[in-house]
Amino acid sequence: MADFFATYGSLIVSMVLGALIGLSLYLPLMTGQLSLASPGFYALGGYIAAILSTKVLTSSSSLFPIPLLLLEMLIAGVICGLLGVIVGIPALRLRGIYLAIATIAFVEVLRVISLNLDITGGAVGIFGIPQPFQTPIEYLWIALPLLLISMVLLYRLERIRVGRAFIAIREDELAAGAMGIDPTYYKVLAFTLGAILAGVVGAISAHFLNTWNARQGTFDSSIIYLTFVLIGGSRTFLGPVIGGMVFTALPEILRSLADTAGLPNWLGQFLRDGRLIIFGLLIVIGTIFFPQGLITPDIFQRRKIRNKRTAKDA
């Protein structure tokens, strides 16, 4: 078991972090907003943690103190939340593809700013971010509780007034407004909650990766994270969780397939380097054949009905 965690520890933690990023994209989608801003907030959260841990909250101990890591996560969440409100109020006046383009522009603006600032290390980025744990798998002590707490909160959110307002706006914004729901307020709220979660995950990821640069928040990242939600499922929080885990592990699976004996060289090279092409094809195929993703609320309802029928027959 020790060898297993030593070999796959980084991948397991990356899968958990991928699930959290998927949830940060799922929150705006609950109100029907196709926002691709999560990579921008994720990158911002990482930069905040990287700058604080290397320049402000420095420690002489061999391991970075956990309380300081939690403080960085808090600061990253607050700053990303405030920026989410500032960006969300004007951006969420747009809908559909126009909102997607606006949020992609936001991600690119943050990326260009980070490339041109000395404090962010420019194109090179920030290296030597201190480690709070001795091994990668120990990051689960932070990432896994955060994922479980996020899932419980989203489970409750889907069943209380705020979550139902989100869903009502997604289904029909005009009808929701006619029922007394303020669409602007709830859309900005969902966008801000997603920004906070993405910023917090970015803070953890900066320490996990040990280095941070502008490549963490790019258009490519937006497409990958969008795949988590669109293919995993955009109608229940379990969709982005499962999608985030599967599609984070997919590149490693493709690399393993590329090393299969007897495989043509061109196919092996495509499996190694064609990740974005494969993700793009999955988005096209998934939106045609599974418009709500692979995991839908109907799956659980059908299981409940089947269990009731089985109980009656017994």
Side-chain angles (χ1 to χ4, degrees), residues 46 48-66 68-69 72 126-134 139 203-212:
I48 291 170
I51 293 169
L52 288 176
S53 60
T54 56
K55 294 181 171 60
V56 182
L57 303 175
T58 54
S59 173
S60 58
S61 61
S62 59
L63 294 177
F64 191 71
I66 301 296
L68 293 183
L69 173 61
E72 288 175 1
I126 300 173
F127 289 91
I129 300 171
Q131 296 297 302
F133 303 107
Q134 291 182 337
Y139 275 91
I204 301 172
S205 299
H207 285 275
F208 176 63
L209 297 175
N210 196 36
T211 178
W212 202 254

Side-chain angles (χ1 to χ4, degrees), residues 254-255 257-274:
L254 293 177
R255 286 192 191 98
L257 290 174
D259 295 331
T260 305
L263 207 64
N265 290 335
W266 65 269
L267 183 56
Q269 195 65 31
F270 176 75
L271 292 174
R272 288 189 191 92
D273 303 330

Side-chain angles (χ1 to χ4, degrees), residues 241-258:
V241 170
I242 294 174
M245 290 186 169
V246 170
F247 286 102
T248 302
L250 183 61
E252 299 303 323
I253 296 172
L254 293 177
R255 286 192 191 98
S256 300
L257 290 174

Side-chain angles (χ1 to χ4, degrees), residues 152-180:
V152 170
L153 291 178
L154 278 165
Y155 175 81
R156 288 297 306 154
L157 182 65
E158 290 178 349
R159 287 157 179 78
I160 62 175
R161 186 172 179 274
V162 175
R164 288 172 179 163
F166 286 178
I167 296 169
I169 294 169
R170 181 184 67 198
E171 298 300 328
D172 192 327
E173 185 173 333
L174 291 177
M179 289 189 295

Side-chain angles (χ1 to χ4, degrees), residues 9-61:
S10 295
L11 178 60
I12 293 170
V13 175
S14 297
M15 291 168 67
V16 174
L17 295 176
L20 284 164
I21 288 292
L23 288 177
S24 73
L25 214 70
Y26 170 72
L27 278 160
L29 274 177
M30 284 184 73
T31 60
Q33 304 306 305
L34 182 59
S35 166
L36 299 176
S38 286
F41 294 114
Y42 172 75
L44 178 61
Y47 272 120
I48 291 170
I51 293 169
L52 288 176
S53 60
T54 56
K55 294 181 171 60
V56 182
L57 303 175
T58 54
S59 173
S60 58
S61 61

Side-chain angles (χ1 to χ4, degrees), residues 250-313:
L250 183 61
E252 299 303 323
I253 296 172
L254 293 177
R255 286 192 191 98
S256 300
L257 290 174
D259 295 331
T260 305
L263 207 64
N265 290 335
W266 65 269
L267 183 56
Q269 195 65 31
F270 176 75
L271 292 174
R272 288 189 191 92
D273 303 330
R275 180 181 59 167
L276 285 177
I277 297 174
I278 293 172
F279 279 15
L281 289 174
L282 288 174
I283 289 178
V284 173
I285 295 171
T287 49
I288 293 173
F289 295 102
F290 306 98
Q292 295 186 359
L294 296 174
I295 308 296
T296 64
D298 295 343
I299 291 178
F300 305 104
Q301 290 174 2
R302 284 201 293 267
R303 176 171 292 182
K304 285 180 181 178
I305 292 171
R306 197 182 307 123
N307 291 339
K308 284 181 180 178
R309 286 177 180 171
T310 305
K312 284 181 180 178
D313 295 339

